[in-house]
């Protein structure tokens, strides 16, 4: 089932060399045009390597750039106008996910809270890593290293959530075949 993503999970997973996890887990990832501009176009302008990784996903077709209709864009404008902590890319991803009734990947707490008030299922980068661990795409040590690498690179999360996730990672036992 495809999922909708905001910029942050794409950027962080690319920086870690783990963007392909999204393809393995969801098959297709849909992103709004503004997220593409933020991650790829601005990323190229700033010389960021993760921009190339995301562009390759778009070129390969498993990351699909989607354009909202004018009604959706107007709704996004109103969201940004009335909820100043939510950026345009986040608003577009929220509206896109709402229209497709699918999982939304987003790390920013204000955007997540807003999306959840609309009944959306919202998860973030750490969830992707845990799901990859549970699905056998990452080993226990790989998942722990990836999570710690995120934190070292500046990824911010609630310390209690981080502790819970690291504890779950440490205690994970793969199912027997």
């Amino acid at each position: 089932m495809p999922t909708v993503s905001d910029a942050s999970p794409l950027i962080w997973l690319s920086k870690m060399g783990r963007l392909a996890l999204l393809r393995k887990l969801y098959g297709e990832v849909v992103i709004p045009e503004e997220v593409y501009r933020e991650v790829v176009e601005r990323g190229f302008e700033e010389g960021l390597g993760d921009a190339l990784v995301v562009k390759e996903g778009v070129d390969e077709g498993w990351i699909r750039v989607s354009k909202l209709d004018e009604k959706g864009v107007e709704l996004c404008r109103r969201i940004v106008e009335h909820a100043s902590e939510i950026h345009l890319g986040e608003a577009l991803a929220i509206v896109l996910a709402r229209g497709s009734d699918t999982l939304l990947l987003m790390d920013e707490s204000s955007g997540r809270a807003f999306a959840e008030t609309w009944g959306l299922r919202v998860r973030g980068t750490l969830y992707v890593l845990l799901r990859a661990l549970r699905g056998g795409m990452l080993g226990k040590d790989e998942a722990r290293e990836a999570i710690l690498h995120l934190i070292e690179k500046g990824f911010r999360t609630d310390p209690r959530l981080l502790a819970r996730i690291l504890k779950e990672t440490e205690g994970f036992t793969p199912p027997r075949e």
Side-chain angles (χ1 to χ4, degrees), residues 130 133 140 144 163-174:
L130 276 180
L133 171 65
K140 188 163 59 170
R144 186 181 195 314
R164 185 179 59 80
I165 288 172
L166 287 171
K167 184 177 179 180
E168 182 176 337
T169 301
E170 288 300 315
F172 180 77
T173 305

Side-chain angles (χ1 to χ4, degrees), residues 1 18 24 28 43 45-46 62-63 79 89 91 122 133 144 154 176:
M1 169 167 102
R18 302 287 184 185
K24 291 176 183 174
E28 180 181 56
E45 289 171 8
E46 296 174 23
W62 66 271
I63 298 177
I79 291 170
V122 188
L133 171 65
R144 186 181 195 314
R176 294 183 185 219

Side-chain angles (χ1 to χ4, degrees), residues 111-169:
R112 290 172 65 114
F114 187 88
E116 288 169 350
T117 64
W118 279 7
L120 294 175
R121 283 185 323 121
V122 188
R123 301 292 185 269
T125 303
L126 293 173
Y127 170 83
V128 171
L129 295 172
L130 276 180
R131 186 150 182 239
L133 171 65
R134 293 175 188 144
M137 294 167 217
L138 290 178
K140 188 163 59 170
D141 291 339
E142 286 178 295
R144 186 181 195 314
E145 287 175 26
I147 292 165
L148 294 175
H149 182 75
L150 275 174
I151 302 304
E152 287 171 11
K153 293 294 181 184
F155 184 86
R156 294 181 309 180
T157 190
D158 181 282
R160 292 172 300 212
L161 174 63
L162 178 62
R164 185 179 59 80
I165 288 172
L166 287 171
K167 184 177 179 180
E168 182 176 337
T169 301

Side-chain angles (χ1 to χ4, degrees), residues 17 31 33 43 51 67 69-70 88 101 110 112 116 121 134 136 150 158-159 173:
I31 61 173
E33 287 181 315
K67 182 175 182 169
D69 61 19
E70 190 54 42
L88 181 59
D101 191 34
S110 56
R112 290 172 65 114
E116 288 169 350
R121 283 185 323 121
R134 293 175 188 144
L150 275 174
D158 181 282
T173 305

Side-chain angles (χ1 to χ4, degrees), residues 1-148:
M1 169 167 102
T3 190
V4 173
S5 184
D6 181 38
S8 180
L10 298 174
I11 292 168
W12 286 110
L13 290 167
S14 295
K15 285 182 184 303
M16 296 177 1
R18 302 287 184 185
L19 187 67
L21 290 174
L22 293 179
R23 185 178 197 175
K24 291 176 183 174
L25 290 168
Y26 306 109
E28 180 181 56
V29 176
V30 182
I31 61 173
E33 287 181 315
E34 178 61 25
V35 169
Y36 180 85
R37 281 191 286 279
E38 181 181 338
V39 175
V40 177
E41 293 174 8
R42 288 186 209 130
F44 280 146
E45 289 171 8
E46 296 174 23
L48 302 174
D50 46 291
L52 179 59
V53 176
V54 175
K55 184 176 185 322
E56 286 173 356
V58 172
D59 292 345
E60 292 169 2
W62 66 271
I63 298 177
R64 182 170 50 89
V65 180
S66 182
K67 182 175 182 169
L68 288 173
D69 61 19
E70 190 54 42
K71 185 178 175 182
V73 171
E74 181 55 34
L75 177 56
C76 291
R77 285 188 193 117
R78 288 195 316 242
I79 291 170
V80 171
E81 181 181 317
H82 295 288
S84 60
E85 69 279 0
I86 297 176
H87 298 91
L88 181 59
E90 293 166 347
L92 289 163
I94 291 167
V95 171
L96 189 59
R98 184 177 186 218
S100 62
D101 191 34
T102 188
L103 177 68
L104 172 62
L105 296 176
M106 180 177 287
D107 290 319
E108 295 76 11
S109 59
S110 56
R112 290 172 65 114
F114 187 88
E116 288 169 350
T117 64
W118 279 7
L120 294 175
R121 283 185 323 121
V122 188
R123 301 292 185 269
T125 303
L126 293 173
Y127 170 83
V128 171
L129 295 172
L130 276 180
R131 186 150 182 239
L133 171 65
R134 293 175 188 144
M137 294 167 217
L138 290 178
K140 188 163 59 170
D141 291 339
E142 286 178 295
R144 186 181 195 314
E145 287 175 26
I147 292 165
L148 294 175

